[in-house]
Amino acid sequence: MTAASATPGTAQPPGVDHLVVLATDLASGVAWCERALGITPTAGGEHPLMGTHNRILSIASPAHPRAYLEVIAINSGAEKSIPSSARRWFDMDDAALQQQVAEHGPQLIHWVASVPDVAAAHAALSALDLERGAIVTASRPTPNGLLQWQITVREDGLRLMDGCLPTLIQWGPVHPCDSLPASGVQLQSLALQHPQSATLQAACDAIGVTGAVTLLAGGAPRLTAQLTTPRGPVALVSFTPE
């Protein structure tokens, strides 16, 4: 049984693709997941482009049928293949963010939106003066076939809007949720709060994900994911910049 209800390889409407949880290393990320969610994440893979690796966990639900959680860390044993001057995705090279995770443990830092046409969504954000970076083609082998995707990556690695503005992804014929087992963890909602709420609203409207997330006006930047888990309801909340 898989957690995804969608037919593999079919175009899906824009929505929440995955949540990004940053860990200093995968061992601490797995321990956090077991402690916080009551489940051990599935083996993920390596990203040679960025010198990172991950573990993943289905959080698919009726509201978010192809959503998963990614615990990601820098792979200390691998070299990234992007230019040395470029930085890894998701602000993973940011010293302040690394320090926060080192002090407080793995943390929700970002989300990725799945779109059926990444070039069109990228252009829509550019029209709002929101530059998501180059559209990069990436892949990694899995026991269930080659995962291929196109993803927006800025050379400076910035998430933008404190992680509230999503990275864009367009999958090839295989999606991680096509083979992930149901985990007992389901994403009920994702709320985005940012002082630039009007800009964030316009961005979500432009790429078609407004109905998939809850937008909160004003206040300190924050992502809040509400999950049901084997241990009951759990809220994952991002760091609030000081």
Side-chain angles (χ1 to χ4, degrees):
M1 177 181 179
T2 61
S5 61
T7 302
T10 58
Q12 299 297 312
V16 177
D17 188 76
H18 64 277
L19 306 180
V20 180
V21 172
L22 179 61
T24 55
D25 56 73
L26 284 189
S28 64
V30 170
W32 167 85
C33 198
E34 293 171 340
R35 184 174 62 253
L37 305 180
I39 193 77
T40 302
T42 300
E46 298 185 1
H47 311 116
L49 182 69
M50 293 288 165
T52 60
H53 53 178
N54 68 4
R55 297 286 290 267
I56 57 177
L57 171 75
S58 172
I59 54 171
S61 66
H64 305 282
R66 297 218 306 180
Y68 67 98
L69 184 145
E70 172 184 44
V71 178
I72 192 167
I74 292 175
N75 186 352
S76 59
E79 293 291 334
K80 62 183 181 180
S81 59
I82 57 175
S84 58
S85 60
R87 304 184 70 172
R88 293 177 178 87
W89 45 26
F90 310 146
D91 274 323
M92 291 179 68
D93 290 315
D94 181 77
L97 184 58
Q98 290 177 349
Q99 184 64 31
Q100 286 178 320
V101 173
E103 291 181 358
H104 303 288
Q107 191 78 20
L108 174 66
I109 63 163
H110 192 39
W111 69 291
V112 177
S114 177
V115 292
D117 186 338
V118 68
H122 181 277
L125 291 183
S126 295
L128 298 173
D129 292 325
L130 294 169
E131 183 49 60
R132 272 278 41 152
I135 298 173
V136 175
T137 298
S139 65
R140 65 177 176 86
T142 76
N144 299 295
L146 185 68
L147 279 178
Q148 299 173 297
W149 65 96
Q150 296 180 79
I151 188 168
T152 56
V153 180
R154 289 175 57 100
E155 187 170 318
D156 58 13
L158 294 179
R159 294 166 290 162
L160 297 187
M161 298 188 76
D162 304 282
C164 290
L165 182 74
T167 289
L168 305 176
I169 195 167
Q170 179 182 346
W171 288 97
V174 180
H175 186 277
C177 281
D178 295 337
S179 57
L180 281 177
S183 67
V185 179
Q186 294 191 333
L187 176 63
Q188 300 304 311
S189 65
L190 176 63
L192 313 174
Q193 178 177 303
H194 199 274
Q196 296 174 287
S197 56
T199 300
L200 185 58
Q201 176 79 61
C204 289
D205 289 345
I207 63 175
V209 298
T210 304
V213 295
T214 301
L215 294 164
L216 305 176
R222 183 178 291 112
L223 294 84
T224 305
Q226 299 288 349
L227 306 169
T228 54
T229 81
R231 296 188 172 178
V234 171
L236 301 183
V237 183
S238 65
F239 290 117
T240 298
E242 296 181 356

